[in-house]
Amino acid sequence: MTAKSWLTPTIIAVVALVLPFLLRDPYPQHILIMILIWATLGTAWNLLGGYAGQVSFGHAAFFGLGAYSAGLLFLHLKISTWWGMLLGPFVATAVAVPIGLICFRLRGPYFALATLALGEIFRLVFTNWVKFTHGAQGILILSTFPTKLPYYYIALAIWGLAMFTLNRLINSKLGYYFVSIREDQDAAESLGIPTTRYKMYAFLPSAFLAGLTGAFYMNYIAFIDPHVVFSLGDISVMVILVVMMGGVANPWGAPVGAAIYIALNEIFRAWLGSANVLAFGILVCLVILFLPNGVMGELGQIRRTAFRQKPAAAGGGQK
Amino acid sequence: MSLFGQTVICGILLGGMYALIAIGMTLIMGVMKIINLAHGALVMVGMYITYVCYKSWGLDPYIGMLIAMPALFLIGCLIQRYMINRLVEVDSILPENQVLLTVGIMLVLTELARLIFKSDYRSVTTGYSSSTFFVGDMSISIPMTVGFFIAMAFTYLLHLFLTRTDLGRSIRATAQDRNAAIYMGVNAPRVTVITFGIGSALAAAGGSLLLPLFYLWPDIGHLFTAKAFIITILGGMGSTMGAIFGGLTLGIAESLGATYISMGYKDVVGLVIFLLVLLFLPGGFKSLTKR
């Protein structure tokens, strides 16, 4: 480890720890927490979708399972939803095992469609299984803490865990295996990589982190219903757009994308009222058309354009 | 027994109209090899155009359809020409970029509709909306039957177009092997533009036929995207006949599920069939006939 590789994370950690003392109002703190939630969820998706190349359109399933694990503990056993933070990730991971075994038989668009269908099945089952889940009525709890500060630090810890996991995984042998599977699955297999097993190694931590985020979401927002936490458009697809905007297969892609997404969402909502999703949709189209690898992925390109330098000799964009 | 018969017939009629939407998607998928998540949104736009024609000029949905189809053809061509085709040359880490672009397009179309028409549920009530006729003691809805036959007529016309005309043949050639088609002198980018246009026009037609039967609101597109996907996978990508069988299967399965299980779980039935086909018959029905 060189000094430089520690520098950026340390600075970011210090800034993140001090930030809530500079922004004391509940509103900016809420925004920070939402950014952290999306950053964690995005990091989880990025591990599977960005590095291993298995584009999942059903990550809401794990987010929702985490959230409902916490909610149902309270509903049926009357114990604190915080225990869901322990249970939720494991439920999500346990469910991910059969899902992975089924879906990893499929490739590319077929895999995407299978995960999309699974995510929708979870939403429909949790909506219709009224006896067990209260259906569309959702689950409402009382917030534990009166201020945002404890939530902020918990969210920060979860995000830190996600970043740590991601970095450990992608800088190990596993990371190279993931990328090789993404770039050419047949070649990877012919080199002796058991691709299904290594896809699982990307999938399980991803589901675990998504479940953890979901359980935290339950505790923080204090209300869930199937249409929110299992949403195809607002969770499964949005997390892909967030990572896409920030930078696929880039450790900072998810946090940057999350910050852009939440910030834009708030700004657009203030300026444009009901047209905020429209503006966001237009922005998504523009980003994909002009920055196909996201903000972090095209950083070199952006810098060159901004400072009007000549393009570097051999495609200097970070990949 | 008459309940069963009525359920199956209702499923077949509905499935025929779903099939028309799905044929639009399967055409696009076959030629472009991409998942078009904006397809349902295009259906929704077509429905709103027909709805506006009905509200402002009192045009029957079946006539409004003739306005909605060319309009959607144009929109589809523009989307393909200026957005999706631009991405083909761009180098990116994930090939799914085009899919995400269609997600962006879906967001934009849905939100535009919400901005203009609000989220209210709207419906078109024509004289025949709830009229039925009886076969034995099974009552069968007239708009469903009319819609089914128009859908089948369109499917037949499309089949003729794809097999008998030069343009149709170049579309099929591009779907089979894009590079080989280019070597043979097919202008592939132009073919993709036209294909997307035709696919969108068929989506609009399907939407207009379903308008007398469904409530209309901006998010209805998601419903149709999901259905069109299931049908496309059931039938096999790029196969018109497959899409018809897929449509009928989904229609019957949903309608049986709604009658015998519960209304809420009817979509689960469709999705479970979808997963099973995806796993055990990945080529769809198309692969069965090839053997």
PDB file of all heavy atoms in Angstrom, chain B residues 11-12 14-15 18-19 22 223-224 226-232 234 243-257 266-267 269-271 273-274 285:
ATOM      1  N   GLY B  11     -59.406 -15.383 -22.465  1.00  0.00           N
ATOM      2  CA  GLY B  11     -57.942 -15.396 -22.483  1.00  0.00           C
ATOM      3  C   GLY B  11     -57.397 -15.342 -23.892  1.00  0.00           C
ATOM      4  O   GLY B  11     -56.446 -14.609 -24.178  1.00  0.00           O
ATOM      5  N   ILE B  12     -58.014 -16.101 -24.792  1.00  0.00           N
ATOM      6  CA  ILE B  12     -57.536 -16.127 -26.177  1.00  0.00           C
ATOM      7  C   ILE B  12     -57.696 -14.751 -26.816  1.00  0.00           C
ATOM      8  O   ILE B  12     -56.772 -14.229 -27.450  1.00  0.00           O
ATOM      9  CB  ILE B  12     -58.314 -17.187 -26.995  1.00  0.00           C
ATOM     10  CG1 ILE B  12     -57.946 -18.593 -26.512  1.00  0.00           C
ATOM     11  CG2 ILE B  12     -58.006 -17.050 -28.477  1.00  0.00           C
ATOM     12  CD1 ILE B  12     -58.740 -19.682 -27.172  1.00  0.00           C
ATOM     13  N   LEU B  14     -57.950 -11.776 -25.380  1.00  0.00           N
ATOM     14  CA  LEU B  14     -57.019 -10.815 -24.784  1.00  0.00           C
ATOM     15  C   LEU B  14     -55.602 -11.104 -25.260  1.00  0.00           C
ATOM     16  O   LEU B  14     -54.840 -10.198 -25.610  1.00  0.00           O
ATOM     17  CB  LEU B  14     -57.111 -10.945 -23.260  1.00  0.00           C
ATOM     18  CG  LEU B  14     -56.843  -9.706 -22.444  1.00  0.00           C
ATOM     19  CD1 LEU B  14     -57.724  -8.569 -22.910  1.00  0.00           C
ATOM     20  CD2 LEU B  14     -57.105  -9.991 -20.976  1.00  0.00           C
ATOM     21  N   GLY B  15     -55.263 -12.405 -25.286  1.00  0.00           N
ATOM     22  CA  GLY B  15     -53.928 -12.824 -25.706  1.00  0.00           C
ATOM     23  C   GLY B  15     -53.608 -12.390 -27.121  1.00  0.00           C
ATOM     24  O   GLY B  15     -52.472 -12.022 -27.422  1.00  0.00           O
ATOM     25  N   TYR B  18     -52.572  -8.817 -26.833  1.00  0.00           N
ATOM     26  CA  TYR B  18     -51.222  -8.752 -26.243  1.00  0.00           C
ATOM     27  C   TYR B  18     -50.190  -9.126 -27.295  1.00  0.00           C
ATOM     28  O   TYR B  18     -49.106  -8.543 -27.373  1.00  0.00           O
ATOM     29  CB  TYR B  18     -51.080  -9.737 -25.084  1.00  0.00           C
ATOM     30  CG  TYR B  18     -51.842  -9.397 -23.837  1.00  0.00           C
ATOM     31  CD1 TYR B  18     -52.070 -10.370 -22.862  1.00  0.00           C
ATOM     32  CD2 TYR B  18     -52.307  -8.114 -23.606  1.00  0.00           C
ATOM     33  CE1 TYR B  18     -52.756 -10.080 -21.704  1.00  0.00           C
ATOM     34  CE2 TYR B  18     -52.996  -7.821 -22.455  1.00  0.00           C
ATOM     35  CZ  TYR B  18     -53.223  -8.808 -21.499  1.00  0.00           C
ATOM     36  OH  TYR B  18     -53.897  -8.529 -20.352  1.00  0.00           O
ATOM     37  N   ALA B  19     -50.541 -10.140 -28.103  1.00  0.00           N
ATOM     38  CA  ALA B  19     -49.585 -10.644 -29.088  1.00  0.00           C
ATOM     39  C   ALA B  19     -49.178  -9.538 -30.048  1.00  0.00           C
ATOM     40  O   ALA B  19     -48.012  -9.437 -30.421  1.00  0.00           O
ATOM     41  CB  ALA B  19     -50.179 -11.821 -29.844  1.00  0.00           C
ATOM     42  N   ALA B  22     -46.627  -7.550 -28.468  1.00  0.00           N
ATOM     43  CA  ALA B  22     -45.392  -8.321 -28.349  1.00  0.00           C
ATOM     44  C   ALA B  22     -44.696  -8.495 -29.682  1.00  0.00           C
ATOM     45  O   ALA B  22     -43.470  -8.545 -29.743  1.00  0.00           O
ATOM     46  CB  ALA B  22     -45.690  -9.684 -27.735  1.00  0.00           C
ATOM     47  N   LEU B 223     -47.006  -2.264 -17.245  1.00  0.00           N
ATOM     48  CA  LEU B 223     -47.806  -3.476 -17.380  1.00  0.00           C
ATOM     49  C   LEU B 223     -47.565  -4.112 -18.739  1.00  0.00           C
ATOM     50  O   LEU B 223     -47.328  -5.320 -18.847  1.00  0.00           O
ATOM     51  CB  LEU B 223     -49.272  -3.059 -17.237  1.00  0.00           C
ATOM     52  CG  LEU B 223     -50.311  -4.128 -17.119  1.00  0.00           C
ATOM     53  CD1 LEU B 223     -50.322  -4.609 -15.682  1.00  0.00           C
ATOM     54  CD2 LEU B 223     -51.669  -3.564 -17.483  1.00  0.00           C
ATOM     55  N   PHE B 224     -47.610  -3.279 -19.787  1.00  0.00           N
ATOM     56  CA  PHE B 224     -47.480  -3.826 -21.131  1.00  0.00           C
ATOM     57  C   PHE B 224     -46.051  -4.246 -21.422  1.00  0.00           C
ATOM     58  O   PHE B 224     -45.830  -5.216 -22.148  1.00  0.00           O
ATOM     59  CB  PHE B 224     -47.974  -2.817 -22.167  1.00  0.00           C
ATOM     60  CG  PHE B 224     -49.453  -2.624 -22.113  1.00  0.00           C
ATOM     61  CD1 PHE B 224     -50.001  -1.368 -21.943  1.00  0.00           C
ATOM     62  CD2 PHE B 224     -50.296  -3.710 -22.202  1.00  0.00           C
ATOM     63  CE1 PHE B 224     -51.364  -1.203 -21.877  1.00  0.00           C
ATOM     64  CE2 PHE B 224     -51.664  -3.558 -22.130  1.00  0.00           C
ATOM     65  CZ  PHE B 224     -52.195  -2.292 -21.962  1.00  0.00           C
ATOM     66  N   ALA B 226     -44.006  -5.559 -19.310  1.00  0.00           N
ATOM     67  CA  ALA B 226     -43.845  -6.864 -18.680  1.00  0.00           C
ATOM     68  C   ALA B 226     -44.521  -7.943 -19.520  1.00  0.00           C
ATOM     69  O   ALA B 226     -43.923  -8.991 -19.801  1.00  0.00           O
ATOM     70  CB  ALA B 226     -44.428  -6.846 -17.274  1.00  0.00           C
ATOM     71  N   LYS B 227     -45.742  -7.672 -19.961  1.00  0.00           N
ATOM     72  CA  LYS B 227     -46.462  -8.686 -20.738  1.00  0.00           C
ATOM     73  C   LYS B 227     -45.737  -8.976 -22.059  1.00  0.00           C
ATOM     74  O   LYS B 227     -45.575 -10.131 -22.448  1.00  0.00           O
ATOM     75  CB  LYS B 227     -47.884  -8.214 -21.025  1.00  0.00           C
ATOM     76  CG  LYS B 227     -48.756  -8.200 -19.780  1.00  0.00           C
ATOM     77  CD  LYS B 227     -50.201  -8.065 -20.167  1.00  0.00           C
ATOM     78  CE  LYS B 227     -51.068  -7.636 -19.000  1.00  0.00           C
ATOM     79  NZ  LYS B 227     -50.879  -8.434 -17.795  1.00  0.00           N
ATOM     80  N   ALA B 228     -45.301  -7.901 -22.718  1.00  0.00           N
ATOM     81  CA  ALA B 228     -44.642  -8.085 -24.012  1.00  0.00           C
ATOM     82  C   ALA B 228     -43.377  -8.918 -23.855  1.00  0.00           C
ATOM     83  O   ALA B 228     -43.069  -9.774 -24.681  1.00  0.00           O
ATOM     84  CB  ALA B 228     -44.317  -6.730 -24.630  1.00  0.00           C
ATOM     85  N   PHE B 229     -42.635  -8.690 -22.752  1.00  0.00           N
ATOM     86  CA  PHE B 229     -41.442  -9.486 -22.487  1.00  0.00           C
ATOM     87  C   PHE B 229     -41.735 -10.925 -22.342  1.00  0.00           C
ATOM     88  O   PHE B 229     -41.085 -11.779 -22.917  1.00  0.00           O
ATOM     89  CB  PHE B 229     -40.909  -9.125 -21.120  1.00  0.00           C
ATOM     90  CG  PHE B 229     -39.906  -8.163 -21.231  1.00  0.00           C
ATOM     91  CD1 PHE B 229     -39.862  -7.069 -20.420  1.00  0.00           C
ATOM     92  CD2 PHE B 229     -38.974  -8.324 -22.220  1.00  0.00           C
ATOM     93  CE1 PHE B 229     -38.916  -6.168 -20.576  1.00  0.00           C
ATOM     94  CE2 PHE B 229     -38.011  -7.403 -22.352  1.00  0.00           C
ATOM     95  CZ  PHE B 229     -37.985  -6.314 -21.533  1.00  0.00           C
ATOM     96  N   ILE B 230     -42.728 -11.202 -21.475  1.00  0.00           N
ATOM     97  CA  ILE B 230     -43.073 -12.592 -21.198  1.00  0.00           C
ATOM     98  C   ILE B 230     -43.411 -13.278 -22.512  1.00  0.00           C
ATOM     99  O   ILE B 230     -42.906 -14.362 -22.808  1.00  0.00           O
ATOM    100  CB  ILE B 230     -44.262 -12.647 -20.215  1.00  0.00           C
ATOM    101  CG1 ILE B 230     -43.848 -12.048 -18.872  1.00  0.00           C
ATOM    102  CG2 ILE B 230     -44.737 -14.069 -20.035  1.00  0.00           C
ATOM    103  CD1 ILE B 230     -44.972 -11.900 -17.892  1.00  0.00           C
ATOM    104  N   ILE B 231     -44.218 -12.598 -23.337  1.00  0.00           N
ATOM    105  CA  ILE B 231     -44.639 -13.205 -24.601  1.00  0.00           C
ATOM    106  C   ILE B 231     -43.441 -13.413 -25.512  1.00  0.00           C
ATOM    107  O   ILE B 231     -43.286 -14.463 -26.131  1.00  0.00           O
ATOM    108  CB  ILE B 231     -45.696 -12.318 -25.284  1.00  0.00           C
ATOM    109  CG1 ILE B 231     -46.950 -12.275 -24.424  1.00  0.00           C
ATOM    110  CG2 ILE B 231     -46.003 -12.819 -26.670  1.00  0.00           C
ATOM    111  CD1 ILE B 231     -47.948 -11.255 -24.861  1.00  0.00           C
ATOM    112  N   THR B 232     -42.563 -12.403 -25.575  1.00  0.00           N
ATOM    113  CA  THR B 232     -41.413 -12.512 -26.460  1.00  0.00           C
ATOM    114  C   THR B 232     -40.543 -13.699 -26.077  1.00  0.00           C
ATOM    115  O   THR B 232     -40.078 -14.447 -26.931  1.00  0.00           O
ATOM    116  CB  THR B 232     -40.586 -11.223 -26.404  1.00  0.00           C
ATOM    117  OG1 THR B 232     -41.468 -10.138 -26.613  1.00  0.00           O
ATOM    118  CG2 THR B 232     -39.525 -11.216 -27.444  1.00  0.00           C
ATOM    119  N   LEU B 234     -41.523 -16.324 -24.303  1.00  0.00           N
ATOM    120  CA  LEU B 234     -42.297 -17.545 -24.551  1.00  0.00           C
ATOM    121  C   LEU B 234     -42.167 -17.962 -26.007  1.00  0.00           C
ATOM    122  O   LEU B 234     -41.970 -19.127 -26.324  1.00  0.00           O
ATOM    123  CB  LEU B 234     -43.777 -17.323 -24.236  1.00  0.00           C
ATOM    124  CG  LEU B 234     -44.231 -17.291 -22.788  1.00  0.00           C
ATOM    125  CD1 LEU B 234     -45.723 -17.057 -22.719  1.00  0.00           C
ATOM    126  CD2 LEU B 234     -43.893 -18.587 -22.108  1.00  0.00           C
ATOM    127  N   ALA B 243     -44.638 -15.256 -31.192  1.00  0.00           N
ATOM    128  CA  ALA B 243     -45.274 -14.220 -30.383  1.00  0.00           C
ATOM    129  C   ALA B 243     -46.777 -14.449 -30.293  1.00  0.00           C
ATOM    130  O   ALA B 243     -47.389 -14.213 -29.250  1.00  0.00           O
ATOM    131  CB  ALA B 243     -44.976 -12.845 -30.967  1.00  0.00           C
ATOM    132  N   ILE B 244     -47.374 -14.940 -31.373  1.00  0.00           N
ATOM    133  CA  ILE B 244     -48.818 -15.193 -31.322  1.00  0.00           C
ATOM    134  C   ILE B 244     -49.113 -16.307 -30.316  1.00  0.00           C
ATOM    135  O   ILE B 244     -49.969 -16.166 -29.441  1.00  0.00           O
ATOM    136  CB  ILE B 244     -49.353 -15.575 -32.714  1.00  0.00           C
ATOM    137  CG1 ILE B 244     -49.190 -14.380 -33.652  1.00  0.00           C
ATOM    138  CG2 ILE B 244     -50.815 -15.980 -32.632  1.00  0.00           C
ATOM    139  CD1 ILE B 244     -49.532 -14.683 -35.070  1.00  0.00           C
ATOM    140  N   PHE B 245     -48.354 -17.402 -30.424  1.00  0.00           N
ATOM    141  CA  PHE B 245     -48.572 -18.487 -29.473  1.00  0.00           C
ATOM    142  C   PHE B 245     -48.293 -18.026 -28.050  1.00  0.00           C
ATOM    143  O   PHE B 245     -49.031 -18.348 -27.119  1.00  0.00           O
ATOM    144  CB  PHE B 245     -47.684 -19.687 -29.827  1.00  0.00           C
ATOM    145  CG  PHE B 245     -48.211 -20.466 -30.979  1.00  0.00           C
ATOM    146  CD1 PHE B 245     -47.488 -20.575 -32.156  1.00  0.00           C
ATOM    147  CD2 PHE B 245     -49.452 -21.081 -30.895  1.00  0.00           C
ATOM    148  CE1 PHE B 245     -47.983 -21.279 -33.237  1.00  0.00           C
ATOM    149  CE2 PHE B 245     -49.957 -21.792 -31.972  1.00  0.00           C
ATOM    150  CZ  PHE B 245     -49.221 -21.891 -33.142  1.00  0.00           C
ATOM    151  N   GLY B 246     -47.199 -17.259 -27.895  1.00  0.00           N
ATOM    152  CA  GLY B 246     -46.867 -16.742 -26.568  1.00  0.00           C
ATOM    153  C   GLY B 246     -47.993 -15.881 -26.030  1.00  0.00           C
ATOM    154  O   GLY B 246     -48.369 -15.984 -24.857  1.00  0.00           O
ATOM    155  N   GLY B 247     -48.542 -15.022 -26.899  1.00  0.00           N
ATOM    156  CA  GLY B 247     -49.624 -14.137 -26.480  1.00  0.00           C
ATOM    157  C   GLY B 247     -50.829 -14.924 -26.028  1.00  0.00           C
ATOM    158  O   GLY B 247     -51.418 -14.664 -24.974  1.00  0.00           O
ATOM    159  N   LEU B 248     -51.198 -15.934 -26.824  1.00  0.00           N
ATOM    160  CA  LEU B 248     -52.372 -16.731 -26.470  1.00  0.00           C
ATOM    161  C   LEU B 248     -52.118 -17.487 -25.158  1.00  0.00           C
ATOM    162  O   LEU B 248     -52.989 -17.537 -24.285  1.00  0.00           O
ATOM    163  CB  LEU B 248     -52.704 -17.715 -27.596  1.00  0.00           C
ATOM    164  CG  LEU B 248     -53.084 -17.059 -28.932  1.00  0.00           C
ATOM    165  CD1 LEU B 248     -53.442 -18.105 -29.961  1.00  0.00           C
ATOM    166  CD2 LEU B 248     -54.248 -16.084 -28.749  1.00  0.00           C
ATOM    167  N   THR B 249     -50.895 -18.043 -25.009  1.00  0.00           N
ATOM    168  CA  THR B 249     -50.589 -18.764 -23.772  1.00  0.00           C
ATOM    169  C   THR B 249     -50.722 -17.846 -22.571  1.00  0.00           C
ATOM    170  O   THR B 249     -51.354 -18.200 -21.565  1.00  0.00           O
ATOM    171  CB  THR B 249     -49.139 -19.306 -23.820  1.00  0.00           C
ATOM    172  OG1 THR B 249     -48.930 -19.921 -25.075  1.00  0.00           O
ATOM    173  CG2 THR B 249     -48.895 -20.280 -22.698  1.00  0.00           C
ATOM    174  N   LEU B 250     -50.119 -16.659 -22.685  1.00  0.00           N
ATOM    175  CA  LEU B 250     -50.176 -15.737 -21.549  1.00  0.00           C
ATOM    176  C   LEU B 250     -51.615 -15.329 -21.266  1.00  0.00           C
ATOM    177  O   LEU B 250     -52.049 -15.303 -20.105  1.00  0.00           O
ATOM    178  CB  LEU B 250     -49.320 -14.502 -21.824  1.00  0.00           C
ATOM    179  CG  LEU B 250     -49.341 -13.494 -20.682  1.00  0.00           C
ATOM    180  CD1 LEU B 250     -48.559 -14.025 -19.502  1.00  0.00           C
ATOM    181  CD2 LEU B 250     -48.790 -12.151 -21.110  1.00  0.00           C
ATOM    182  N   GLY B 251     -52.365 -15.012 -22.330  1.00  0.00           N
ATOM    183  CA  GLY B 251     -53.760 -14.611 -22.141  1.00  0.00           C
ATOM    184  C   GLY B 251     -54.550 -15.678 -21.406  1.00  0.00           C
ATOM    185  O   GLY B 251     -55.235 -15.402 -20.423  1.00  0.00           O
ATOM    186  N   ILE B 252     -54.419 -16.928 -21.864  1.00  0.00           N
ATOM    187  CA  ILE B 252     -55.180 -18.018 -21.239  1.00  0.00           C
ATOM    188  C   ILE B 252     -54.706 -18.238 -19.806  1.00  0.00           C
ATOM    189  O   ILE B 252     -55.517 -18.373 -18.882  1.00  0.00           O
ATOM    190  CB  ILE B 252     -55.033 -19.313 -22.074  1.00  0.00           C
ATOM    191  CG1 ILE B 252     -55.681 -19.107 -23.445  1.00  0.00           C
ATOM    192  CG2 ILE B 252     -55.668 -20.481 -21.364  1.00  0.00           C
ATOM    193  CD1 ILE B 252     -55.399 -20.222 -24.426  1.00  0.00           C
ATOM    194  N   ALA B 253     -53.384 -18.242 -19.599  1.00  0.00           N
ATOM    195  CA  ALA B 253     -52.850 -18.492 -18.257  1.00  0.00           C
ATOM    196  C   ALA B 253     -53.340 -17.428 -17.283  1.00  0.00           C
ATOM    197  O   ALA B 253     -53.776 -17.731 -16.167  1.00  0.00           O
ATOM    198  CB  ALA B 253     -51.321 -18.513 -18.293  1.00  0.00           C
ATOM    199  N   GLU B 254     -53.289 -16.149 -17.730  1.00  0.00           N
ATOM    200  CA  GLU B 254     -53.722 -15.066 -16.847  1.00  0.00           C
ATOM    201  C   GLU B 254     -55.200 -15.196 -16.527  1.00  0.00           C
ATOM    202  O   GLU B 254     -55.632 -15.023 -15.389  1.00  0.00           O
ATOM    203  CB  GLU B 254     -53.492 -13.722 -17.521  1.00  0.00           C
ATOM    204  CG  GLU B 254     -52.112 -13.202 -17.304  1.00  0.00           C
ATOM    205  CD  GLU B 254     -52.003 -11.769 -17.735  1.00  0.00           C
ATOM    206  OE1 GLU B 254     -52.980 -11.212 -18.264  1.00  0.00           O
ATOM    207  OE2 GLU B 254     -50.929 -11.200 -17.531  1.00  0.00           O
ATOM    208  N   SER B 255     -55.973 -15.493 -17.577  1.00  0.00           N
ATOM    209  CA  SER B 255     -57.397 -15.520 -17.373  1.00  0.00           C
ATOM    210  C   SER B 255     -57.807 -16.711 -16.498  1.00  0.00           C
ATOM    211  O   SER B 255     -58.642 -16.576 -15.613  1.00  0.00           O
ATOM    212  CB  SER B 255     -58.008 -15.448 -18.757  1.00  0.00           C
ATOM    213  OG  SER B 255     -59.065 -16.176 -18.937  1.00  0.00           O
ATOM    214  N   LEU B 256     -57.129 -17.857 -16.674  1.00  0.00           N
ATOM    215  CA  LEU B 256     -57.400 -18.989 -15.782  1.00  0.00           C
ATOM    216  C   LEU B 256     -56.965 -18.665 -14.356  1.00  0.00           C
ATOM    217  O   LEU B 256     -57.668 -18.961 -13.389  1.00  0.00           O
ATOM    218  CB  LEU B 256     -56.662 -20.245 -16.266  1.00  0.00           C
ATOM    219  CG  LEU B 256     -57.206 -20.941 -17.513  1.00  0.00           C
ATOM    220  CD1 LEU B 256     -56.294 -22.076 -17.918  1.00  0.00           C
ATOM    221  CD2 LEU B 256     -58.603 -21.452 -17.262  1.00  0.00           C
ATOM    222  N   GLY B 257     -55.778 -18.033 -14.244  1.00  0.00           N
ATOM    223  CA  GLY B 257     -55.271 -17.661 -12.919  1.00  0.00           C
ATOM    224  C   GLY B 257     -56.232 -16.727 -12.208  1.00  0.00           C
ATOM    225  O   GLY B 257     -56.504 -16.880 -11.018  1.00  0.00           O
ATOM    226  N   LYS B 266     -52.762 -13.270 -10.500  1.00  0.00           N
ATOM    227  CA  LYS B 266     -52.775 -13.645 -11.908  1.00  0.00           C
ATOM    228  C   LYS B 266     -51.472 -13.246 -12.611  1.00  0.00           C
ATOM    229  O   LYS B 266     -51.010 -13.959 -13.491  1.00  0.00           O
ATOM    230  CB  LYS B 266     -53.994 -13.059 -12.618  1.00  0.00           C
ATOM    231  CG  LYS B 266     -53.838 -11.636 -13.034  1.00  0.00           C
ATOM    232  CD  LYS B 266     -54.948 -11.178 -13.940  1.00  0.00           C
ATOM    233  CE  LYS B 266     -54.526  -9.854 -14.477  1.00  0.00           C
ATOM    234  NZ  LYS B 266     -55.467  -9.014 -15.036  1.00  0.00           N
ATOM    235  N   ASP B 267     -50.862 -12.144 -12.162  1.00  0.00           N
ATOM    236  CA  ASP B 267     -49.599 -11.753 -12.778  1.00  0.00           C
ATOM    237  C   ASP B 267     -48.472 -12.689 -12.372  1.00  0.00           C
ATOM    238  O   ASP B 267     -47.526 -12.896 -13.119  1.00  0.00           O
ATOM    239  CB  ASP B 267     -49.248 -10.317 -12.399  1.00  0.00           C
ATOM    240  CG  ASP B 267     -50.224  -9.342 -13.030  1.00  0.00           C
ATOM    241  OD1 ASP B 267     -50.686  -9.628 -14.143  1.00  0.00           O
ATOM    242  OD2 ASP B 267     -50.535  -8.322 -12.400  1.00  0.00           O
ATOM    243  N   VAL B 269     -48.760 -15.856 -12.015  1.00  0.00           N
ATOM    244  CA  VAL B 269     -48.868 -17.013 -12.902  1.00  0.00           C
ATOM    245  C   VAL B 269     -48.058 -16.762 -14.177  1.00  0.00           C
ATOM    246  O   VAL B 269     -47.234 -17.582 -14.583  1.00  0.00           O
ATOM    247  CB  VAL B 269     -50.347 -17.289 -13.247  1.00  0.00           C
ATOM    248  CG1 VAL B 269     -50.451 -18.399 -14.273  1.00  0.00           C
ATOM    249  CG2 VAL B 269     -51.116 -17.648 -11.997  1.00  0.00           C
ATOM    250  N   GLY B 270     -48.276 -15.591 -14.775  1.00  0.00           N
ATOM    251  CA  GLY B 270     -47.552 -15.253 -15.998  1.00  0.00           C
ATOM    252  C   GLY B 270     -46.049 -15.253 -15.780  1.00  0.00           C
ATOM    253  O   GLY B 270     -45.294 -15.822 -16.569  1.00  0.00           O
ATOM    254  N   LEU B 271     -45.605 -14.661 -14.659  1.00  0.00           N
ATOM    255  CA  LEU B 271     -44.169 -14.558 -14.413  1.00  0.00           C
ATOM    256  C   LEU B 271     -43.543 -15.915 -14.154  1.00  0.00           C
ATOM    257  O   LEU B 271     -42.415 -16.182 -14.567  1.00  0.00           O
ATOM    258  CB  LEU B 271     -43.912 -13.622 -13.223  1.00  0.00           C
ATOM    259  CG  LEU B 271     -44.160 -12.155 -13.513  1.00  0.00           C
ATOM    260  CD1 LEU B 271     -44.125 -11.345 -12.231  1.00  0.00           C
ATOM    261  CD2 LEU B 271     -43.134 -11.617 -14.486  1.00  0.00           C
ATOM    262  N   ILE B 273     -44.592 -18.814 -15.374  1.00  0.00           N
ATOM    263  CA  ILE B 273     -44.465 -19.468 -16.681  1.00  0.00           C
ATOM    264  C   ILE B 273     -43.251 -18.924 -17.419  1.00  0.00           C
ATOM    265  O   ILE B 273     -42.458 -19.662 -18.006  1.00  0.00           O
ATOM    266  CB  ILE B 273     -45.736 -19.235 -17.521  1.00  0.00           C
ATOM    267  CG1 ILE B 273     -46.905 -19.962 -16.874  1.00  0.00           C
ATOM    268  CG2 ILE B 273     -45.540 -19.722 -18.944  1.00  0.00           C
ATOM    269  CD1 ILE B 273     -48.195 -19.761 -17.613  1.00  0.00           C
ATOM    270  N   PHE B 274     -43.095 -17.625 -17.344  1.00  0.00           N
ATOM    271  CA  PHE B 274     -41.972 -16.947 -17.989  1.00  0.00           C
ATOM    272  C   PHE B 274     -40.636 -17.523 -17.517  1.00  0.00           C
ATOM    273  O   PHE B 274     -39.780 -17.900 -18.308  1.00  0.00           O
ATOM    274  CB  PHE B 274     -42.081 -15.460 -17.649  1.00  0.00           C
ATOM    275  CG  PHE B 274     -40.904 -14.631 -18.014  1.00  0.00           C
ATOM    276  CD1 PHE B 274     -40.637 -14.330 -19.336  1.00  0.00           C
ATOM    277  CD2 PHE B 274     -40.076 -14.109 -17.036  1.00  0.00           C
ATOM    278  CE1 PHE B 274     -39.568 -13.536 -19.666  1.00  0.00           C
ATOM    279  CE2 PHE B 274     -39.008 -13.315 -17.370  1.00  0.00           C
ATOM    280  CZ  PHE B 274     -38.751 -13.032 -18.690  1.00  0.00           C
ATOM    281  N   PHE B 285     -40.985 -21.099 -27.896  1.00  0.00           N
ATOM    282  CA  PHE B 285     -41.713 -22.043 -28.735  1.00  0.00           C
ATOM    283  C   PHE B 285     -41.047 -22.214 -30.097  1.00  0.00           C
ATOM    284  O   PHE B 285     -41.168 -23.232 -30.736  1.00  0.00           O
ATOM    285  CB  PHE B 285     -43.162 -21.578 -28.924  1.00  0.00           C
ATOM    286  CG  PHE B 285     -43.955 -21.625 -27.675  1.00  0.00           C
ATOM    287  CD1 PHE B 285     -44.967 -20.707 -27.429  1.00  0.00           C
ATOM    288  CD2 PHE B 285     -43.684 -22.572 -26.707  1.00  0.00           C
ATOM    289  CE1 PHE B 285     -45.700 -20.749 -26.261  1.00  0.00           C
ATOM    290  CE2 PHE B 285     -44.418 -22.624 -25.535  1.00  0.00           C
ATOM    291  CZ  PHE B 285     -45.422 -21.701 -25.313  1.00  0.00           C
TER     292      PHE B 285
END
